[in-house]
Amino acid sequence: MTTAARRHSDRMISPVFLGIAAVMAVTGWAVWTDFAASPGLAVFLFVVSAWIVSLCLHEYAHARTALHGGDISVGAKGYLTLNPLKYTHALLSVVLPVIFVILGGIGLPGGAVFIEMHRVRGRWKHSLISAAGPLTNVLFAAVCTAPFWLGALDGVPLPFRLALAFLAMLQVTAAILNFLPVPGLDGYGVIEPWLPYKVRRQVEPVAPFGLLAVFVILWIPEVNHVFFDAVYGVMEALGVHQAEIYCGRDLFMFWDGQNDLCVSP
């Protein structure tokens, strides 16, 4: 295979990603048209597939920004194909975030792509590579909430509206958590290039435990309250009411049997 052909194959969109996107499109259509016998199951499949798509786009943003920053190795690693199976830690990047969404409805950030930062020159490029992922979540949330903040909800079926509200909340939680300046999260990656070398060396051993520490702290009721107050405050600013998020979550968790209250006339 020639270098040009190899480079082209390294950047072709993966059939795995296209399959996940197809599930998102079909189930989104089923929610919109009320085609499915169980709206809750359709909402569940739509939100999960859309969440995985957003995870792929998050990691693609990291990789694509790294490519333009000087790390040409991301292509050979398959990071530019949007294939979640190519990630360094598929368990952390896809499986655990999906499980957390199913269990309680929180957007779990995960580390997935290995960027060879020594290839990247310039502190601003390093910071931008880290920021690119959560900025994708911000953009995804803006798209999901566009009908709300544009006042364009007329004609949008209620189940689809509620599904968008819950999906947008997941994106907002992921963005907020990712932007925390905690070692191991993207927020720390943004500020790390600007820290003294001695500080970076001292922090490096604890970075793998940063995400775990965040979720342990989130179990503290007072911290959990403040965190979700911030999340719901952002959602309100985007035109999405807390009741719509709750109903979207109830639809998503269809096995609890509480979704009829949200979609009944």
Side-chain angles (χ1 to χ4, degrees), residues 36-238:
S38 170
L41 177 59
V43 167
F44 173 81
L45 294 174
F46 170 63
V47 171
V48 168
S49 56
W51 174 238
I52 296 175
V53 165
S54 75
L55 293 174
C56 294
L57 293 175
H58 176 113
E59 302 306 337
Y60 175 83
H62 283 311
R64 189 76 191 192
T65 310
L67 175 69
H68 291 291
D71 182 8
I72 60 174
S73 71
V74 295
K77 294 171 183 172
Y79 296 160
L80 301 178
T81 65
L82 291 162
N83 185 353
L85 301 179
K86 295 291 186 180
Y87 296 155
T88 307
H89 301 292
L91 175 66
L92 291 176
S93 306
V94 178
V95 179
L96 282 182
V98 169
I99 290 175
F100 267 79
V101 167
I102 292 173
L103 290 179
I106 187 170
L108 171 71
V113 295
F114 176 71
I115 306 299
E116 298 183 17
M117 286 298 194
H118 64 276
R119 296 175 179 263
V120 180
R121 296 289 180 265
R123 290 185 291 183
W124 281 107
K125 291 181 180 179
H126 281 243
S127 295
L128 186 57
I129 289 169
S130 294
L135 286 176
T136 304
N137 294 110
V138 172
L139 179 60
F140 209 104
V143 171
C144 289
T145 58
F148 297 87
W149 50 265
L150 288 175
L153 290 170
D154 290 343
V156 178
L158 181 58
F160 192 83
R161 171 180 176 173
L162 299 177
L164 284 182
F166 180 61
L167 178 59
M169 189 273 290
L170 296 178
Q171 301 300 326
V172 170
T173 58
I176 292 176
L177 288 173
N178 265 296
F179 271 128
L180 291 176
V182 175
L185 298 181
D186 291 328
Y188 177 75
V190 172
I191 65 172
E192 182 183 23
W194 308 90
L195 297 176
Y197 177 75
K198 183 178 179 180
V199 173
R200 284 182 280 151
R201 287 297 303 270
Q202 291 175 336
V203 169
E204 188 175 348
V206 303
F209 307 102
L211 181 59
L212 177 61
V214 167
F215 277 92
V216 169
I217 294 172
L218 278 177
W219 278 101
I220 301 173
E222 293 79 8
V223 176
N224 186 276
H225 184 73
V226 170
F227 173 73
F228 277 101
D229 275 353
V231 171
Y232 293 133
V234 172
M235 295 299 292
E236 285 285 346
L238 292 171

